[in-house]
Amino acid sequence: MYAILDIETTGGQFNEEGITEIAIYKFDGHEIVDQFISLVNPEIPIQPFVVKLTGINNAMLQSAPKFFEVAKRIIEMTNDCIIVAHNASFDYRILRTEFRRLGYDFEAQTLCTVELSKKLLPEQPSHSLGKLVRALGIPMADRHRASGDALATVKLFKILLEKDLEKEIVKDFIKLEIEKGIAPKLLDIVAKLPAKTGVYYIHNEKGNLVYIGKSRNIKKRINQHFTGTSTKCKKIQAEVFTVTYDETGSELIALLKESEEIKINKPIYNRAQRKSIFQLALYAEKDKNGYINLKLQKADGRKKEITSFTSLQEGKNALFRITSHYNLCQKLTGLYHTKTNCFQYSIKECDGACIGMVPPEEYNARVLSFIEKNSFENQNMVLIDKGRTISERSAVLIENGIYKGYAFYDLNYQINNIEILRNIIIPMQNNRDTKNIIQGHIRKNKTLKTLKF
């Protein structure tokens, strides 16, 4: 659990400042589960430049609670949490100073979003909260007020969690849980998981990742791991300490995240998926009569493939659909082996390319139409899908035929402004697997919206 907070102070000499406003949002890594926002009477005057900056003046604080009156609630909100703040050393120092005045030694682990953003958003020219939220298209109200700044920090932290592909933030959090000696039972782990689409991460008692998977129902899939009798399932059951997850809403993003993060983190029980899962590919070759044939063959990195498949059955099923949709010949797509005409010609569902009844130029135009539809080459587009909540959408960015990454957004201007979209994108590697995941999803998902630019 994280306590994401922001504090406004009176200003003044070091360690003599008083708190004028505090906002704390308790965040479980996915959503806000509790909040506390209050003005605080610091019992000392506010510096004039601070009044101009925050809009908080001495008169507003006369009837506000003093720090000792809100101290218990602050401890309740931050207990067993990592404190997250933008410039965390400042907020943490101020809290410790106030508690010290009460004779209490306040201690907590902290995480600074300034330092995190420098690591995970190195391309940004400034890491101030105001400039980051503008660059990332994060809506913000009440700038320089505790609640506005803390809420913006929550939204920034969510983006940073997404950008942290090596899961360092989550691993550090799990190490804290381990130090506390909590060892949840398998049923307790399953009970806390959502029945939603996303990627899940199985950690051992050292906090290390041992398995990464994706599912349209995370709770159901983990339950299968915990009740399975295969060698892999038994090893996972013996080693699991906890399970973390990232909801994606979109199955496409879950597939892309899983592929990328397995390659980065190399979990011990994902060995098979470190290699490409697309073992068969579709190639175009001209025959001696000048017709373009489509051939389903074992993937060969030396040849240019149109698309690829995880199994022979998946490839054949796709070829039957392609042949029917583009009015192609089953003989020329390798689905019907014969030295004469194909069976479809005899029932008048093929116009005879197999026996030269259609000019190669006319037939090849149909094949090229299919190839062009399935190629990203030189294309600029955004694939829009559902997000993690009703109000959110997801976007997959492809520029000049290259997969750049994905993002979640709430506001249309975040996707219509290409610079903001580039800033909020979680960058991903463009490789054969990602290309084939996207192509396969476009093939199967007719509701996916495509925005070209």
Side-chain angles (χ1 to χ4, degrees):
M1 200 74 74
Y2 303 95
I4 302 176
L5 57 82
D6 186 73
I7 289 169
E8 301 301 331
T9 70
T10 56
Q13 290 187 13
F14 187 82
N15 276 0
E16 289 184 10
E17 312 101 315
I19 294 176
T20 58
E21 188 177 33
I22 185 166
I24 308 173
Y25 291 97
K26 208 166 191 174
F27 181 68
D28 67 0
H30 308 281
E31 60 186 357
I32 293 166
V33 294
D34 198 0
Q35 66 181 53
F36 172 66
I37 302 160
S38 179
L39 289 168
V40 179
N41 184 344
E43 302 181 80
I44 54 172
I46 306 171
Q47 298 288 315
F49 79 91
V50 176
V51 174
K52 285 183 181 177
L53 184 69
T54 64
I56 299 169
N57 58 46
N58 294 307
M60 289 168 64
L61 303 178
Q62 280 180 0
S63 59
K66 297 179 174 67
F67 184 78
F68 76 88
E69 295 174 279
V70 297
K72 184 183 175 186
R73 182 70 176 127
I74 291 169
I75 289 170
E76 287 172 354
M77 287 292 292
T78 57
N79 188 39
D80 287 338
C81 289
I82 294 175
I83 289 177
V84 180
H86 207 70
N87 193 10
S89 59
F90 170 79
D91 297 81
Y92 184 53
R93 177 180 66 79
I94 296 294
L95 269 181
R96 278 179 63 79
T97 300
E98 288 279 16
F99 275 108
R100 201 178 295 119
R101 289 169 186 157
L102 299 178
Y104 180 79
D105 187 18
F106 179 82
E107 284 189 349
Q109 268 205 314
T110 62
L111 202 52
C112 179
T113 49
V114 175
E115 297 306 316
L116 278 177
S117 67
K118 285 176 181 175
K119 181 183 173 186
L120 299 170
L121 300 167
E123 73 285 353
Q124 289 301 318
S126 169
H127 296 274
S128 73
L129 186 61
K131 288 184 179 172
L132 275 177
V133 297
R134 273 197 297 276
L136 300 172
I138 295 171
M140 188 175 191
D142 294 330
R143 180 77 176 104
H144 295 301
R145 290 295 300 267
S147 60
D149 285 4
L151 201 52
T153 306
V154 171
K155 291 171 183 174
L156 172 62
F157 188 57
K158 283 178 90 169
I159 290 174
L160 294 172
L161 282 170
E162 283 289 338
K163 296 255 187 189
D164 182 23
L165 299 179
E166 294 179 12
K167 300 293 162 192
E168 292 300 328
I169 300 170
V170 173
K171 285 178 192 172
D172 285 345
F173 176 69
I174 290 163
K175 282 172 188 167
L176 185 67
E177 296 288 296
I178 292 162
E179 283 170 17
K180 288 190 284 184
I182 301 166
K185 293 178 182 176
L186 301 186
L187 281 174
D188 293 338
I189 292 172
V190 173
K192 292 174 184 174
L193 297 171
K196 293 187 177 179
T197 300
V199 180
Y200 58 88
Y201 310 89
I202 299 177
H203 304 257
N204 65 14
E205 60 182 8
K206 292 179 181 175
N208 297 329
L209 279 166
V210 295
Y211 189 80
I212 296 175
K214 81 94 203 162
S215 179
R216 283 184 286 185
N217 185 328
I218 293 170
K219 185 190 281 283
K220 184 179 176 182
R221 186 74 188 96
I222 291 295
N223 196 46
Q224 288 168 349
H225 282 305
F226 289 175
T227 55
T229 55
S230 69
T231 304
K232 185 171 81 175
C233 283
K234 285 180 177 177
K235 285 180 178 176
I236 285 172
Q237 290 159 25
E239 288 196 39
V240 61
F241 176 81
T242 191
V243 177
T244 58
Y245 63 91
D246 287 341
E247 283 182 36
T248 61
S250 158
E251 189 180 6
L252 173 58
I253 289 178
L255 285 162
L256 291 167
K257 267 175 74 66
E258 179 195 37
S259 174
E260 175 93 350
E261 291 173 355
I262 285 170
K263 288 178 176 66
I264 289 171
N265 293 287
K266 298 181 175 60
I268 189 170
Y269 299 126
N270 284 105
R271 282 201 178 114
Q273 286 152 281
R274 293 182 205 172
K275 298 172 185 174
S276 175
I277 57 171
F278 297 95
Q279 301 296 323
L280 290 155
L282 193 62
Y283 300 100
E285 294 176 16
K286 261 191 185 177
D287 63 20
K288 61 183 180 183
N289 299 315
Y291 291 94
I292 298 174
N293 287 216
L294 295 179
K295 296 195 174 182
L296 187 62
Q297 298 173 339
K298 192 172 179 182
D300 184 345
R302 296 166 298 181
K303 293 159 70 175
K304 187 178 179 183
E305 64 188 48
I306 301 165
T307 187
S308 59
F309 308 95
T310 56
S311 68
L312 182 62
Q313 193 58 53
E314 185 195 11
K316 281 191 170 181
N317 290 345
L319 258 182
F320 275 114
R321 288 194 300 270
I322 292 159
T323 301
S324 171
H325 187 268
Y326 290 91
N327 193 21
L328 305 181
C329 172
Q330 285 191 4
K331 179 182 175 182
L332 300 184
T333 55
L335 295 170
Y336 191 83
H337 300 285
T338 177
K339 290 184 179 177
T340 56
N341 63 277
C342 70
F343 175 72
Q344 299 302 104
Y345 177 73
S346 60
I347 59 169
K348 296 183 170 52
E349 287 188 8
C350 168
D351 53 8
C354 44
I355 50 172
M357 298 284 288
V358 179
E361 296 77 21
E362 184 184 326
Y363 180 81
N364 290 350
R366 296 179 215 156
V367 181
L368 292 170
S369 170
F370 156 68
I371 293 171
E372 189 180 336
K373 182 86 188 293
N374 277 268
S375 170
F376 299 150
E377 281 184 30
N378 306 318
Q379 287 198 45
N380 293 311
M381 57 182 174
V382 181
L383 304 175
I384 300 168
D385 204 354
K386 56 189 172 184
R388 298 162 294 189
T389 61
I390 293 169
S391 63
E392 188 180 68
R393 292 289 176 270
S394 62
V396 170
L397 176 63
I398 295 160
E399 284 191 277
N400 298 319
I402 295 169
Y403 167 57
K404 294 291 187 180
Y406 71 90
F408 295 105
Y409 67 97
D410 295 296
L411 305 168
N412 279 333
Y413 82 86
Q414 287 177 295
I415 196 168
N416 293 329
N417 183 323
I418 192 64
E419 285 308 315
I420 288 178
L421 181 58
R422 285 191 186 116
N423 284 335
I424 63 173
I425 279 287
I426 286 80
M428 293 273 186
Q429 291 179 36
N430 178 60
N431 54 43
R432 181 172 173 267
D433 281 354
T434 56
K435 177 189 166 190
N436 290 317
I437 287 167
I438 293 166
Q439 284 179 330
H441 201 76
I442 292 171
R443 264 199 316 270
K444 294 171 189 172
N445 194 328
K446 306 299 178 192
T447 60
L448 201 66
K449 186 179 172 187
T450 304
L451 186 70
K452 298 202 174 182
F453 62 94

